[in-house]
Amino acid sequence: MSSAPKVILYQISRGPRAPSFSPFALKLETFLRMAKIEYENDFSVKRSSKGKIPWMQYEGEAVADSQFCVEYLNRKLNIDLNSHLTEEQRAVAHAFRKMAEENLFWCMGLSRAENLDYVKKHIKLNKLVIWIGTRIYLSNTIAHGIGRHTHEEVLHIMEEDLRSLSVYLGTKKFYFGDQPCETDAALFGLLCQFCWQCPGSKGEQLVNDKFTNLVEYCERMKATFWPDWEDCITADGTKTATKQHENLINGTQRHSKNIYIRRQITCRTMIILLHLHNKYRSQTTNLTQGNQ
């Protein structure tokens, strides 16, 4: 076994039809596989210093935000999955990633809200936490701007983003040809959610009926980098993801700790969450009254 340091990837628990409900966690884990970086998962839902998840530790150094994690590892380990791209292609790849992560992501979340019962069923968190988290998320969409639009307008924005991704992909194997690049990890992480983890939504309908090459693309990425996919999902809760707790330090000790952390929803935590919800609601009310 290699004695080289490993990345510790902190993320939420395994998903029902894809390895994570989080497109950013799936992006980062896919990148680690593409770059052949050894890693182990920590599913304790421990958040970063920025209050975000996923994040990682490498050689004792904590790095928050999925893209900053990618860039850190690129520098630290001299990795460049974009080495085959021209400068122009790198710029296009960057623009597509930003469109997906800063715009389409919010559309996906609102699309997923069309069937929130599915999310509640498969995310192992206290129902009150999910309720408050949902309200905070919706408030954040107002602050972002996407939440100011009507439902029909959001669907239109989502369809145009998916159309752009579909048209540019065309019949290519990956987004820039026969060899995948860094941006493929990000786009795969997000598109997977539309394909498999937004059941009954307009987003799912669009990729399956109008933009079918996006589903085919996800299947290729899955076959290439996730040969153990079925071991990393719960199949709508019908089985345990056998790689839910892979590479655990101290075996069942961390498993027990993870369960303990998830279940300990203290009064103090709930007060903080309620305070944040009220704060965001107040801020977004003021924003709504301000400039569009």
Side-chain angles (χ1 to χ4, degrees), residues 35-69:
K36 297 180 172 58
I37 299 172
E38 290 193 52
Y39 70 96
E40 60 186 45
N41 284 306
D42 185 313
F43 297 96
S44 64
V45 200
K46 180 180 179 181
R47 295 184 178 273
S48 71
S49 59
K50 296 180 179 180
K52 300 174 68 175
I53 195 168
W55 61 287
M56 71 170 203
Q57 281 188 329
Y58 184 74
E59 294 186 322
E61 186 169 356
V63 185
D65 186 274
S66 64
Q67 188 59 29
F68 287 160
C69 290

Side-chain angles (χ1 to χ4, degrees), residues 69-127:
C69 290
V70 169
E71 293 173 8
Y72 172 89
L73 292 170
N74 285 343
R75 294 191 302 270
K76 189 82 172 179
L77 302 177
N78 194 28
I79 293 168
D80 186 3
L81 298 182
N82 297 331
S83 60
H84 59 294
L85 302 185
T86 65
E87 286 300 311
E88 181 179 353
Q89 287 175 323
R90 286 173 183 256
V92 173
H94 176 81
F96 267 119
R97 180 180 63 79
K98 295 298 284 186
M99 179 193 76
E101 294 184 341
E102 304 295 344
N103 197 64
L104 185 58
F105 162 73
W106 293 99
C107 295
M108 182 277 295
L110 291 171
S111 179
R112 180 173 280 168
E114 295 173 18
N115 188 2
L116 200 55
D117 287 341
Y118 182 80
V119 179
K120 291 177 181 178
K121 180 180 178 181
H122 296 291
I123 290 184
K124 298 178 180 179
L125 288 174
N126 181 283
K127 290 182 179 180

Side-chain angles (χ1 to χ4, degrees), residues 17-23 26-27 30 108 112 162 184-199 204 207-208 214-215 217-219 221-222 226 229:
R17 300 180 185 179
S20 180
F21 259 124
S22 165
L26 188 49
K27 160 196 172 179
T30 301
M108 182 277 295
R112 180 173 280 168
L162 289 171
D184 281 292
L187 298 181
F188 172 68
L190 184 57
L191 290 173
C192 273
Q193 310 304 321
F194 287 104
C195 292
W196 299 307
Q197 295 198 135
C198 292
E204 181 191 51
V207 296
N208 282 286
L214 298 180
V215 179
Y217 164 77
C218 285
E219 291 286 1
M221 286 288 292
K222 182 173 77 170
W226 288 87
W229 183 275

